[in-house]
Amino acid sequence: MEGGESSAQIIKNAPSVLKADIWTHYGFYQLKGKNELDKSHAVCKVCHTKIKYLGGNTTNLRNHLSRFHCEKLTSATKKTADPAQRRIDEVLSTFPPNSEKAKAITQSVAAFIAKDLRPYSVVENAGFRHLLKTLEPRYKLPSRSHFTENVIPALYNGTKAQVMASMIQAKRVAITCDAWTSVATESYLTVTAHYISEDWQFLSHVLQTRAVYESHTGAHVVELLSCVVEEWQLSDKDVMLVTDNASNMIVAAELGKFTHVKCFAHTLNLASQRALKVATLSRLLGRVRRIATFFHRSTTANHYLKEKQKCLGLKNHKLITDVATRWNSAYDMVERFLEQQPAICATLLSPEVRKGQSDLCTLNETDVSNAEDAVSALKPMKDATTLMSEESNPTVSLIAPINAQLLQNMTGTIGDSPMIHAIKNAITTDLLKRYNGEAEKKILHTASALDPRFKGLPFLTVEERLEIYRGVTEEAASLENERTLRRTEVIDGLLVSLLGQSFTDTEGTSVSAERVFSTAGDVVTAKRSTLKPEHVDQLVFLQKNLHIPKC
């Protein structure tokens, strides 16, 4: 800003092309000796002050008028924001939606929804929005519909392409399927795939989840599985199907001409559930369950139980109540009862606890003896179930040797009590019904022969053993590029407990078999009971397959 010029010098009006209202109060001097305006400086018509004019920018002019002649600054001369032009503070306060930072945060929110099984509505929750605002005030969270219709589907498509690119390299693929029902009583079938990569890594993917509106007949199941094989380009992968023991799954495998193996974990559960129905054991479980439930519901009894545990030097463990769908929870319930039995009996006999509980039951010595027999008889089944559940890569090579060992463990002996005899007989009867097909037995025995831990096949007769070796030798000769087997770690304690020391001298390969799909039901919750089937498919797929960096 420069001082005023002589009042004799005439201030020419601004050219008509300068249409801003501010030019009502400003003009230009004429260049000396020329018929041109000096547009390097605008001149205030009130005080004749020259103000540097940068061509098109009237900020300095408005500032001068505001500071020295505010009475001239009418509403007409105040700058009105162009609706299409954002203010500088707005530009600096938010990220453009297409900026790399904004897109990265949006992708992370989508990953959060998918990996943690959160409802889409989480982006509308006040607490979540406040968290993002605190972490990054410049980020504007997109709408729920934007995630539903754009972000999650795009993330799904990208992840699906990665899974297909990885799986196309596999030579053989095992698929498993699991039917489940949502809280909205809608039926779904989820299909998973398992294979060994070229660098000998065990990989597992959820492929798809489909709503099933028809009855779950074998024909409908095989139709869905055939679509899976076609969509995921598995027709040349020598697909093996692993399912539970349901008759419709067996029919589907036959109709689709799939190589079929029944899930061993499901087999163990069926045999054990049959044992739990033995009359004497069922009555015992009912009484133990009633006592455990009483301690869960009574704060007084639970308080006195803790005091008795402390006095008797027992661990402060809570009693366990069994769950109908998991047979091993019944085993855990009885085992915990036996562990805490002295404290339980002492507590139940306390007048303070029995007050008002006339129908409170206690267990006598016979009940305690039966509980000990039940735990002893079911211990091999418990070990096998735990092994198949906790093994990071459960393998088909485990099925035949463990099944054979369980049948041996369930052979009756002279010293068995009536309860032990009944439990063993129930389990043996059920196990003998499984894995009787010649094709299935050949698969199981061949897998065991290829695993150095079980290659001796001691559970087979000499003739059966030689037949399996002959088949393995012939197939190995035809596979030019598969000449070596991977090494694995020494068998863990549970495997030793089940199979004995004769299986602990070697190490070997580990090829994956079926792992029961268990988290699909968590997708459709009370807050997400109206999810469309395609959204359920996308969320289940991403929850299992999307890889995010560990923090």
Side-chain angles (χ1 to χ4, degrees), residues 50 67 82 86 89 113 117-118 126 133 194 265 274-275 281 323 382 401 419 430 446 466 503 506 513:
K50 292 175 64 177
R67 292 182 64 188
D82 183 351
R86 303 175 66 196
D89 61 337
I113 292 173
L117 296 177
R118 301 298 178 185
K133 191 69 175 178
H194 316 267
R274 181 164 182 164
L281 178 54
V323 179
K382 166 68 173 179
M419 174 176 279
D430 197 88
T446 301
L466 292 175
F503 291 94
T506 59

Side-chain angles (χ1 to χ4, degrees), residues 257-515:
K257 297 183 174 12
F258 290 104
T259 303
H260 185 219
V261 173
K262 294 183 283 292
C263 170
F264 191 51
H266 187 251
T267 297
L268 293 173
N269 184 65
L270 291 176
S272 301
Q273 292 284 7
R274 181 164 182 164
L276 298 184
K277 290 180 173 61
V278 169
T280 52
L281 178 54
S282 179
R283 288 194 295 269
L284 172 67
L285 291 175
R287 302 185 71 178
V288 174
R289 187 182 303 118
R290 185 177 176 188
I291 291 173
T293 302
F294 169 71
F295 278 99
H296 278 293
R297 293 178 177 175
S298 173
T299 55
T300 300
N302 194 49
H303 169 73
Y304 277 96
L305 177 62
K306 290 181 180 179
E307 293 296 321
K308 298 299 183 182
Q309 288 172 333
K310 186 176 181 181
C311 292
L312 295 171
L314 298 174
K315 294 180 180 179
N316 183 18
H317 286 163
K318 292 183 179 181
L319 300 186
I320 296 173
T321 304
D322 62 339
V323 179
T325 55
R326 292 190 298 111
W327 86 267
N328 47 311
S329 64
Y331 178 95
D332 295 336
M333 179 178 71
V334 176
E335 187 179 48
R336 178 61 54 83
F337 168 80
L338 290 174
E339 174 194 288
Q340 299 295 329
Q341 186 260 336
I344 293 171
C345 290
T347 303
L348 292 177
L349 294 174
S350 300
E352 297 85 354
V353 174
R354 294 197 65 84
K355 185 178 180 180
Q357 302 288 337
S358 57
D359 61 340
L360 186 62
C361 70
T362 57
L363 299 186
N364 55 39
E365 291 184 2
T366 301
D367 292 325
V368 173
S369 177
N370 284 340
E372 292 173 343
D373 287 346
V375 168
S376 174
L378 291 171
K379 181 65 163 56
M381 299 298 288
K382 166 68 173 179
D383 287 347
T385 299
T386 303
L387 176 67
M388 298 307 296
S389 300
E390 295 184 352
E391 178 86 0
S392 59
N393 296 329
T395 61
V396 70
S397 64
L398 293 172
I399 296 178
I402 293 179
N403 191 61
Q405 189 64 42
L406 287 174
L407 287 172
Q408 182 176 329
N409 290 338
M410 295 302 149
T411 302
T413 60
I414 297 177
D416 287 345
S417 68
M419 174 176 279
I420 291 178
H421 177 76
I423 290 174
K424 287 183 175 181
N425 184 63
I427 292 174
T428 299
T429 300
D430 197 88
L431 288 179
L432 287 174
K433 296 190 304 182
R434 318 295 175 183
Y435 308 114
N436 289 326
E438 290 302 319
E440 190 173 29
K441 285 197 297 185
K442 183 179 179 181
I443 292 171
L444 300 183
H445 296 164
T446 301
S448 298
L450 290 171
D451 190 327
R453 296 173 295 181
F454 317 120
K455 63 183 180 181
L457 304 178
F459 48 88
L460 298 180
T461 64
V462 175
E463 292 78 11
E464 291 172 331
R465 200 177 306 153
L466 292 175
E467 181 64 25
I468 293 298
Y469 289 156
R470 187 180 300 110
V472 170
T473 302
E474 291 174 355
E475 185 170 355
S478 66
L479 301 174
E480 297 179 358
N481 298 322
E482 297 179 10
R483 301 177 181 177
T484 59
L485 297 173
R486 274 189 94 198
R487 295 279 178 180
T488 57
E489 296 180 353
V490 177
I491 301 169
D492 59 34
L494 287 174
L495 197 54
V496 174
S497 173
L498 283 165
L499 304 180
Q501 295 300 320
S502 61
F503 291 94
T504 63
D505 298 330
T506 59
E507 303 173 354
T509 61
S510 179
V511 181
S512 174
E514 194 261 352
R515 178 177 295 277

